[in-house]
Amino acid sequence: MAFPEKVKIVEVGPRDGLQNEKRIVPLEVKVELIERLGEVGIQAMEAGSFVSPKWIPQMANTKDVFARISRRPGVKYSALIPNIRGFEQALAAKADEVAIFSAATESFSQKNINCSIAESLDRFRPVAAAAMSVGMPLRGYISCGLGCPYEGEVSVEAVANVAANLEAMGCYEISLGDTIGTGTPLKARAMVEATLEHVPLSKIAIHFHDTYGQALANILACLELGVSVIDSSIAGLGGCPYAKGASGNVATEDVNYMLEGMGIETGVDPEKLYAVGQFISEYLRRPSASKVATVFCQNGQAGQ
Ligand code: HMG
Ligand code: MG
């Protein structure tokens, strides 16, 4: 076991968390969410996506979000992009980095971006080259790494193969997603181990959903391998528009609590984090999916 000493938390709430919300969240709420997240000690955050507004209406105002937010020094604000057009918009919006996204299964790729995995990789190569040419850091995602809503079981080789392609394009970080949250710890570990045959440990991130209550256990299994980048979402917001029934991303508050309890540094202030979770949960009029934040809000303190 070689737990990392420090973990980088990548906050995906403003994008992955909100993209599934049916009602359009007003610009000022998105801006306040991002600005408050910037104050808790998070170093990396996905502020929105430049995708087709017909596909994901909630993200249609990402340009305005980037224009309005006050950026905190030391925090990287990134944008998810599906094609070169998204890249150009991200560049114009002065995103600090961009993230491209493929999938481990053909069916999910078709539903999510209307093309095969191979076509998505072909589409991303010029995007990656454009990013490299201007020195824009490029992140890659792989959806459905531990299960697919359409195809069921997913082989670790399928994930590792897409990861190898994303690495070859120049992604500095590759986030392995359990988009529907069906994974269990040994499977999560096997996925990382297979990916490690093509991608160095320092470039691997994990992105787990908590649909079946397995996310923290899966994270722990990967921490044991030394993975040190974890995606999570404030208040456990999320779901996936193309993965019916998938509940939220693992809650940032819960991840941070577990890491803090294990003596692993994140730089995130838990109390400020709970307050941000409370803010967005109150706006959405929904209880937070974070267990630790719920305890904190009831008792005014979390932990022993
Ligand atoms: P398409 O219909 O195959 O292609 O969509 P298209 O090129 O014909 O584009 C359709 C329309 O979108 C056109 O407009 C384009 O101009 C426009 P129209 O002519 O019909 O008026 N368009 C754009 N508009 C704004 N920005 C753009 C852009 N590109 C095209 N960049 C496409 C293909 C990829 C565009 C579409 O399928 C799409 O946008 N998909 C995005 C889906 C998405 O955002 N899914 C959620 C994110 S992935 C995720 O959540 C999983 C992840 O978080 C991991 C995990 O959770 O495990 C990463
Ligand atoms: Mg997600």
Side-chain angles (χ1 to χ4, degrees):
M1 264 189 250
F3 289 128
E5 282 175 20
K6 283 185 189 170
V7 156
K8 178 175 86 169
I9 290 181
V10 178
E11 171 59 49
V12 297
R15 192 278 303 171
D16 197 0
L18 293 184
Q19 72 184 7
N20 207 33
E21 290 297 324
K22 296 267 172 308
R23 281 191 309 143
I24 300 299
V25 177
L27 180 62
E28 55 275 16
V29 174
K30 290 183 179 177
V31 169
E32 183 170 349
L33 176 65
I34 293 167
E35 289 182 345
R36 289 181 66 166
L37 282 167
E39 287 163 16
V40 306
I42 277 168
Q43 298 156 31
M45 191 187 328
E46 228 171 48
S49 61
F50 291 105
V51 299
S52 163
K54 286 189 182 145
W55 285 62
I56 310 283
Q58 185 64 255
M59 290 291 122
N61 63 357
T62 294
K63 179 178 171 224
D64 303 326
V65 169
F66 270 95
R68 280 274 299 276
I69 49 170
S70 332
R71 303 183 191 209
R72 200 170 173 92
V75 181
K76 298 260 180 287
Y77 300 87
S78 92
L80 187 83
I81 54 165
N83 51 23
I84 198 78
R85 184 159 159 203
F87 173 70
E88 281 157 7
Q89 293 175 86
L91 200 59
K94 298 193 168 53
D96 295 313
E97 72 176 60
V98 288
I100 53 179
F101 54 111
S102 188
T105 69
E106 292 295 345
S107 312
F108 191 82
S109 183
Q110 289 291 351
K111 296 274 187 210
N112 197 30
I113 46 176
N114 207 21
C115 64
S116 70
I117 297 171
E119 283 164 346
S120 78
L121 296 172
D122 285 345
R123 189 184 288 170
F124 286 134
R125 275 186 198 98
V127 179
M132 299 297 122
S133 73
V134 294
M136 173 82 89
L138 179 72
R139 189 172 209 248
Y141 279 103
I142 305 171
S143 296
C144 293
L146 292 174
C148 172
Y150 313 104
E151 296 182 22
E153 287 282 317
V154 173
S155 75
V156 292
E157 290 78 21
V159 180
N161 179 40
V162 177
N165 273 282
L166 292 174
E167 215 254 333
M169 280 181 217
C171 289
Y172 82 94
E173 203 164 271
I174 296 159
S175 176
L176 310 179
D178 181 14
T179 311
I180 57 170
T182 50
T184 44
L186 300 185
K187 287 185 183 170
R189 196 190 323 228
M191 171 177 73
V192 171
E193 280 168 341
T195 305
L196 278 170
E197 293 189 16
H198 306 273
V199 177
L201 181 62
S202 60
K203 292 189 176 178
I204 295 182
I206 48 176
H207 180 116
F208 294 154
H209 285 239
D210 203 30
T211 319
Y212 291 83
Q214 303 296 299
L216 285 180
N218 294 345
I219 289 173
L220 180 63
C222 299
L223 282 170
E224 284 173 359
L225 294 174
V227 171
S228 63
V229 184
I230 301 175
D231 298 357
S232 61
S233 175
I234 187 75
L237 295 179
C240 178
Y242 304 106
K244 282 207 170 56
S247 69
N249 296 274
V250 66
T252 307
E253 297 94 318
D254 295 351
V255 172
N256 195 53
Y257 179 84
M258 181 177 87
L259 294 172
E260 211 183 27
M262 292 171 68
I264 298 174
E265 204 183 306
T266 63
V268 174
D269 178 323
E271 296 201 6
K272 284 188 183 164
L273 191 63
Y274 303 145
V276 184
Q278 195 170 13
F279 157 73
I280 193 64
S281 300
E282 278 172 8
Y283 170 76
L284 295 170
R285 297 204 200 113
R286 192 179 311 144
S288 171
S290 158
K291 288 206 159 62
V292 60
T294 303
V295 173
F296 181 82
C297 292
Q298 281 166 3
N299 301 348
Q301 60 177 55
Q304 304 75 17

